[in-house]
C-alpha cells in the first residue's frame, strides 16, 4: 500500500516528544532528521569520512520528524496532531509546522537508510547497519543493527551516554534493559560479556525488531526479548539494569525497579532532558539509590547509580 508522509519541524528537545505523539496517533513508523546526530568531525574516532557529503547537504536545517500513515487515516490524524502540537507550542519546541506528501511503499521502506552509516559508540563499540561494511580492528566490538523505522539507531546522545556508562560500570552478572527499542543497549552489554539479559518493550514492533537484531548478532543465547509493560511480569532479580526512556517514566520506575536489583546492583538511566535532572535525582535518592555519576551531553542527562 502507499502512505502519506507527515513532517513536523521542531527542535532536538522536541523531536522525541513529537515522534512519540505521532506513534500514539497510529504512525506506521517515524524518522528523526537532526543535524546534531551526525558524527562530530572534530572527534578523531568519528566515522565522518564514511558519510557522503551529499547526504550531509541533504539534511534539513530544522529538526524534522517524519511519520507515515495510511491515507484514509489522515484527516483524523491531522486534526489530533495539530491540536496536540498547539499545546506543545507553549514549551518552545520550534515551529511545529506540519506538511504532508504521498510516498510509495518501496520508498518509505528504503529512503531513511541513506542517513545511517557505521559509527563508534563508547570506547570499543562500533554500530554498523546490517547493509554496510566495516573493517574492524582487534579492539572493536561490532553491533549490527537494522533498526526499522521507529526504533533507535544509536546515534542519539542518550544512547551514547548509556553505552559509555555500561562500559564503565558493568562488571558481570545478569542485566535488564527496560524499553529496549531496537535492542542496541542489550546487544552492547552482551558484547561486553553479559549473559542472562532480559530486554523488555511494550511495543510489539519493537520486540520484533529487537529479536531480529539479536539474531543478526548471534546472541539468542545471551538475550531474551520480551513484550511487556516496564517491569510487569518480571519476578527475577538482576545485577545491572538500564533504561533509556523519558524522565517521568524513570521517576515512576525507580522504586519498583530497585526491588528487581541485587544488593549493590547498578542502574543506568538516560532519556532525561536537562530540565528534568533534578526530578530524576530526587526520585532516585528517595528510592534509596546511591548516585555514582551524572553525565551530561548536549541537552540530555544520564545517571549511574547503585541499589
Amino acid at each position: 500500500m502507499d502512505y502519506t508522509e507527515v513532517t513536523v519541524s521542531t527542535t532536538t528537545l522536541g523531536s522525541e516528544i513529537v515522534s512519540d505523539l505521532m506513534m500514539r496517533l497510529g504512525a506506521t513508523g517515524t524518522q528523526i532528521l537532526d543535524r546534531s546526530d551526525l558524527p562530530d568531525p572534530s572527534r578523531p574516532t568519528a566515522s565522518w569520512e564514511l558519510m557522503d557529503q551529499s547526504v550531509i547537504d541533504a539534511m534539513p536545517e530544522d529538526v524534522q520528524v517524519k511519520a507515515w500513515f495510511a491515507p484514509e487515516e489522515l484527516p483524523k490524524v491531522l486534526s489530533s496532531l495539530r491540536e496536540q502540537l498547539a499545546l506543545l507550542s507553549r514549551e518552545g519546541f520550534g515551529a511545529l509546522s506540519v506538511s504532508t506528501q504521498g510516498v510509495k511503499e518501496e520508498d518509505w521502506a528504503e529512503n531513511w537508510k541513506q542517513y545511517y552509516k557505521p559509527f563508534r559508540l563508547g570506547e570499543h563499540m562500533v554500530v554498523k547497519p546490517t547493509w554496510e561494511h566495516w573493517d574492524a580492528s582487534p579492539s572493536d566490538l561490532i553491533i549490527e543493527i537494522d533498526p526499522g523505522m521507529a526504533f533507535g539507531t544509536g546515534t542519539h546522545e542518550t544512547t551514547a551516554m548509556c553505552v559509555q556508562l555500561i562500559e564503565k560500570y558493568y562488571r558481570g552478572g545478569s542485566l535488564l534493559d527496560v524499553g529496549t527499542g531496537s535492542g542496541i543497549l542489550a546487544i552492547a552489554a552482551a558484547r561486553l560479556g553479559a549473559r542472562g539479559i532480559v530486554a523488555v518493550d511494550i511495543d510489539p514492533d519493537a520486540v520484533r525488531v529487537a529479536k531480529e537484531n539479536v539474531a543478526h548478532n548471534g546472541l539468542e543465547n545471551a538475550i531474551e526479548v520480551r513484550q511487556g509493560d516496564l517491569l510487569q511480569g518480571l519476578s527475577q532479580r538482576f545485577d545491572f539494569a538500564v533504561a533509556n526512556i523519558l524522565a517521568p517514566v524513570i521517576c515512576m520506575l525507580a522504586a519498583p525497579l530497585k526491588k528487581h536489583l541485587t544488593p549493590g546492583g547498578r542502574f543506568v538511566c538516560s532519556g532525561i532532558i536537562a530540565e528534568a535532572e533534578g526530578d530524576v535525582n530526587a526520585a532516585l535518592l528517595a528510592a534509596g539509590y546511591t548516585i555514582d555519576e551524572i553525565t551530561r551531553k548536549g541537552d540530555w542527562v544520564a545517571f549511574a547509580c547503585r541499589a
Side-chain angles (χ1 to χ4, degrees), residues 69-172:
F69 298 90
E72 62 270 17
E73 299 173 355
L74 195 61
K76 180 180 177 181
V77 165
L78 289 178
S79 175
S80 298
L81 177 62
R82 289 191 169 108
E83 181 179 335
Q84 294 297 315
L85 291 178
L87 297 175
L88 287 178
S89 65
R90 307 168 188 170
E91 306 297 327
F93 290 143
L96 297 176
S97 57
V98 180
S99 62
T100 64
Q101 68 172 1
V103 61
K104 298 290 185 181
E105 181 173 15
E106 57 270 22
D107 296 333
W108 169 84
E110 295 296 327
N111 68 0
W112 62 279
K113 290 185 177 181
Q114 65 182 305
Y115 298 104
Y116 192 29
K117 300 293 181 180
F119 63 96
R120 290 195 176 276
L121 191 62
E123 186 175 352
H124 297 290
M125 304 290 171
V126 174
V127 180
K128 184 185 82 66
T130 54
W131 57 89
E132 290 281 349
H133 175 71
W134 178 266
D135 290 323
S137 70
S139 63
D140 287 345
L141 300 174
I142 306 298
I143 302 174
E144 285 207 339
I145 292 289
D146 188 355
M149 290 299 295
F151 312 106
T153 61
T155 57
H156 200 273
E157 291 99 327
T158 59
T159 308
M161 288 189 291
C162 279
V163 170
Q164 289 165 4
L165 292 174
I166 293 171
E167 283 187 329
K168 184 172 181 177
Y169 289 103
Y170 178 76
R171 293 296 180 268

Side-chain angles (χ1 to χ4, degrees), residues 10-56:
T10 182
T11 63
T12 296
L13 278 178
S15 61
E16 298 286 350
I17 296 170
V18 172
S19 175
D20 180 67
L21 168 61
M22 294 167 97
M23 288 301 296
R24 286 189 281 110
L25 290 174
T28 306
T30 63
Q31 176 190 22
I32 297 173
L33 299 180
D34 187 344
R35 281 184 171 266
S36 69
D37 286 338
L38 291 174
D40 183 350
S42 68
R43 290 174 52 205
T45 58
S47 302
W48 186 265
E49 69 278 4
L50 296 175
M51 186 77 75
D52 292 340
Q53 186 63 44
S54 61
V55 172
I56 299 169

